[in-house]
Amino acid sequence: MLFNSLLLLLVVLGTRVLTNAYTAESVGDVPDIQARNETRKEIDAAFQTIVPKGNVARAFWADQIARELGSRDFSAARGYLLAAPVMLERDDSRAILAAADAEESGSQDQRLTKAALLFLPNEVRASYQRAIEPPRVDMSPQVGEEQPVVAGEETEIPPAEDDTEAAPEGAEVTDGPDEADTTAEAEPTLTDAPRSATFSMVGDRTDLVRRSQRWVNNESVNSLLLRLSAISLIKVSEDDQADTYAAATSVLRAASRANRLTVDYSEYLEGRIERAMPADTTLAAVRNALSAVAPMSQLEDQVLQAYEASIDQEGLNRLQRDLRAIARISSLTSPAGAVTLLETAESPEDVRKLQLIAEAGGDRAVALTKQIGPKVIGLAQIGIKWSIELTLQLMAIAGLALALGWTALSAVSNARPVRHYRR
């Protein structure tokens, strides 16, 4: 009995150690350098396998960039540019790396992007440069107008500090009449507009009051997204959390409205939001806040206070970790790229792995995801993150193994031979 008990305990503890060592929880908010390097190697190896046999590598590579530019997905297009050294033939790869080293300004990715552009066909290169160039502003006064006029079509504005070129515009986007609609109407906002640090689909307090009134009146409103927006607006006063909540909420609202989240992950998010802000409690509080007749400014304060009073702090802390991972993915790629990555996730562990992949690959991860889909999650190399707890657990396993060996040896040494008697 002692032997069997030790054997069972050894299996249970061993499973626990493996789970703690290799699950996505060990990644942390910022993965260590070893995990990023190993994941980057897997990403590079995956890029090398996506070029079909029999095709000229440079032609295939240029076609992918042209396709992404045509669909206005600049994050994926830039990802292919960054992946040029591993996708193209050896001579082209060496030439691109040499050209990147010759650049004197910009980050490594910026220099690599400029170098890779030289190897694109003229029309594709011109298309990419038109897409990322700043808009030309005509400052001369116009007849009957006081505002400057932008000349030419709206194009992408490269960020001042970030080395990524594509993402949504910074204008706030609020819901139209059909809040619960799941069509891809939000998608053009993600891919057609340039990137900006102020991109937001959270809405303002007036929009929150309007949609809250529809919720109270039992009209068609996605209450989950509404509560998520309310949480983001509540966190505006907290400078250290406001950007995280706004970025993650915008990505989730866009992905949900475009119906690009998996069923499993959608259900997980519903549970997290419900835990952070219960629907029944929140609806009762909001209904009470809207029952009074008051000016809009006062009504906004009352509604926001009603949402804030309905928050469960423990549930909010758990939700915050998920939102932080999503916001990090968005900052490493783009809001459009974050949606592309997020639509492959089935669980929060998948999102943690996607964060590691974005840390290691940036926009490369977006381009690769569009090629291999959910298989990209398997590229995350989490590795083992040593801790005191893990060390103690391994010591316990060693102790159990010794006890198990001693028990087996003791049982064998104390065994008596069986005597056979004749009748």
Side-chain angles (χ1 to χ4, degrees), residues 78-153:
R78 184 172 181 274
Y80 282 113
L81 287 173
L82 294 173
V86 295
M87 289 184 67
L88 300 185
E89 297 175 355
R90 182 176 300 179
D91 292 341
D92 289 340
S93 176
R94 290 176 177 175
I96 289 176
L97 293 176
D101 292 338
E103 292 286 342
E104 298 180 353
S105 62
S107 66
Q108 175 63 28
D109 282 354
Q110 287 175 329
R111 296 196 301 269
L112 187 57
T113 300
K114 293 178 182 178
L117 280 172
L118 301 176
F119 289 76
L120 285 174
N122 293 335
E123 63 275 11
V124 179
R125 180 169 62 251
S127 178
Y128 184 87
Q129 291 173 335
R130 284 196 303 268
I132 66 172
E133 68 181 1
R136 298 182 301 276
V137 180
D138 184 4
M139 301 302 296
S140 60
Q142 304 294 317
V143 178
E145 295 183 2
E146 298 181 356
Q147 300 296 329
V149 177
V150 178
E153 64 175 354

Side-chain angles (χ1 to χ4, degrees), residues 133-265:
E133 68 181 1
R136 298 182 301 276
V137 180
D138 184 4
M139 301 302 296
S140 60
Q142 304 294 317
V143 178
E145 295 183 2
E146 298 181 356
Q147 300 296 329
V149 177
V150 178
E153 64 175 354
E154 189 171 338
T155 53
E156 182 177 13
I157 304 175
E161 298 179 358
D162 198 323
D163 61 350
T164 54
E165 285 102 354
E169 187 172 41
E172 284 193 354
V173 180
T174 57
D175 291 343
D178 298 323
E179 166 68 24
D181 114 79
T182 57
T183 63
E185 293 178 0
E187 191 65 14
T189 303
L190 284 173
T191 56
D192 291 350
R195 182 173 191 168
S196 171
T198 58
F199 165 73
S200 176
M201 291 186 68
V202 175
D204 56 16
R205 304 204 310 175
T206 302
D207 179 66
L208 181 68
V209 172
R210 176 179 61 82
R211 289 186 286 128
S212 298
Q213 185 65 63
R214 293 171 56 192
W215 186 28
V216 169
N217 294 339
N218 295 322
E219 297 180 19
S220 178
V221 175
N222 190 324
S223 65
L224 287 169
L225 298 181
L226 177 60
R227 282 176 282 163
L228 194 59
S229 294
I231 291 174
S232 297
L233 291 173
I234 291 169
K235 293 297 178 181
V236 166
S237 59
E238 302 180 13
D239 294 338
D240 59 334
Q241 299 293 336
D243 291 343
T244 296
Y245 279 92
T249 298
S250 299
V251 170
L252 288 175
R253 284 176 61 85
S256 179
R257 291 176 61 186
N259 198 27
R260 293 181 64 179
L261 294 178
T262 63
V263 175
D264 290 342
Y265 191 65

Side-chain angles (χ1 to χ4, degrees), residues 315-396:
L316 183 61
N317 291 338
R318 295 180 180 180
L319 176 64
Q320 179 180 340
R321 184 169 188 180
D322 296 292
L323 297 181
R324 190 161 51 231
I326 295 172
R328 180 62 178 164
I329 294 173
S330 179
S331 67
L332 291 167
T333 56
S334 68
V339 172
T340 299
L341 291 171
L342 202 61
E343 67 180 340
T344 66
E346 299 282 348
S347 65
E349 288 75 21
D350 288 347
V351 175
R352 305 295 290 181
K353 291 179 181 179
L354 290 171
Q355 179 186 349
L356 172 57
I357 292 169
E359 295 274 3
D363 286 326
R364 298 174 183 86
V366 181
L368 189 58
T369 301
K370 301 192 78 170
Q371 285 285 341
I372 66 177
K375 293 180 181 179
V376 73
I377 297 175
L379 302 180
Q381 301 298 304
I382 297 172
I384 298 178
K385 186 174 183 180
W386 291 98
S387 63
I388 295 178
E389 180 183 2
L390 182 59
T391 303
L392 292 176
Q393 289 176 345
L394 290 175
M395 292 174 63

Side-chain angles (χ1 to χ4, degrees), residues 266-288:
S266 295
E267 292 177 352
Y268 167 79
L269 283 176
E270 290 174 7
R272 279 289 196 239
I273 297 173
E274 180 66 23
R275 181 71 174 83
M277 186 177 283
D280 294 339
T281 303
T282 306
L283 181 59
V286 172
R287 180 180 286 112
N288 183 60

